[in-house]
Amino acid sequence: KKLFARRWCGIINRKDYTYDVEEMGWNYYMNEFSAVIGLEQLKKLEKLNLIRKKIAKIYASEINLESKMPYNKNCSYHLYWILVKNRKTFQEKLFENGIETGTHYKPIHTFTLYKNNYSLPNTEKIGKQIITIPIYPDLTEYEIDKIITSVNKINSKM
């Protein structure tokens, strides 16, 4: 159990979108096959980032939320975040529409390793509201429209 946690950044007790970090870990996922794939992907990096930027620009202009990731031409958009009022319900409704979401990132001071009775109310508030929506380069126009429509529809009902 300890080695498993240490190989994955110290993350333990992962269940759905929740997890904890009790002690420092590492990221030991690289092997020769991953290295070869990574080298090939690097050749496509600029093109893939341009696609992500295009999607982010569409999200920034068409998602009707007060708090969302702004468009910035210098960002690579490895993820795209939005803030919602009831994260759990919002994620469940998106999932019912075939849209998976993530939670990036949990406030670091809440992990066991870093816990020191700090009170960071803004960080904690955002940490309970933030979700990430799909922004990978293979999204089709239909999928992008579906994500935008679903987010806007769910938001208007909450």
Side-chain angles (χ1 to χ4, degrees), residues 114-127:
Y114 303 104
K115 230 175 214 179
N116 214 0
N117 295 324
Y118 290 111
S119 176
L120 301 172
N122 290 334
T123 302
E124 291 162 16
K125 179 182 175 190
I126 290 170

Side-chain angles (χ1 to χ4, degrees), residues 26-51:
W26 300 272
N27 190 347
Y28 287 141
Y29 284 118
M30 183 62 72
N31 58 48
E32 291 83 2
F33 296 109
S34 297
V36 170
I37 292 169
L39 289 171
E40 286 302 308
Q41 286 296 93
L42 280 174
K43 295 174 186 175
K44 305 175 194 177
L45 184 60
E46 190 172 329
K47 177 184 173 191
L48 298 175
N49 282 345
L50 285 173
I51 296 169

Side-chain angles (χ1 to χ4, degrees), residues 27-123:
N27 190 347
Y28 287 141
Y29 284 118
M30 183 62 72
N31 58 48
E32 291 83 2
F33 296 109
S34 297
V36 170
I37 292 169
L39 289 171
E40 286 302 308
Q41 286 296 93
L42 280 174
K43 295 174 186 175
K44 305 175 194 177
L45 184 60
E46 190 172 329
K47 177 184 173 191
L48 298 175
N49 282 345
L50 285 173
I51 296 169
R52 287 177 185 271
K53 286 179 187 186
K54 179 182 171 188
I55 297 168
K57 194 171 194 176
I58 295 167
Y59 282 171
S61 67
E62 296 186 22
I63 290 177
N64 298 324
L65 287 171
E66 186 177 323
S67 296
K68 60 189 171 195
M69 193 168 192
Y71 179 74
N72 179 326
K73 67 178 180 168
N74 297 315
C75 183
S76 66
Y77 291 100
H78 79 284
L79 56 80
Y80 190 92
W81 60 261
I82 59 176
L83 295 183
V84 298
K85 291 181 179 134
N86 185 330
R87 178 172 60 197
K88 186 173 190 244
T89 302
F90 209 98
Q91 287 180 297
E92 287 170 356
K93 291 187 181 298
L94 284 173
F95 188 76
E96 289 169 9
N97 286 301
I99 301 167
E100 290 193 37
T101 60
T103 52
H104 299 83
Y105 296 93
K106 286 180 64 175
I108 199 166
H109 72 284
T110 63
F111 295 132
T112 302
L113 174 63
Y114 303 104
K115 230 175 214 179
N116 214 0
N117 295 324
Y118 290 111
S119 176
L120 301 172
N122 290 334
T123 302

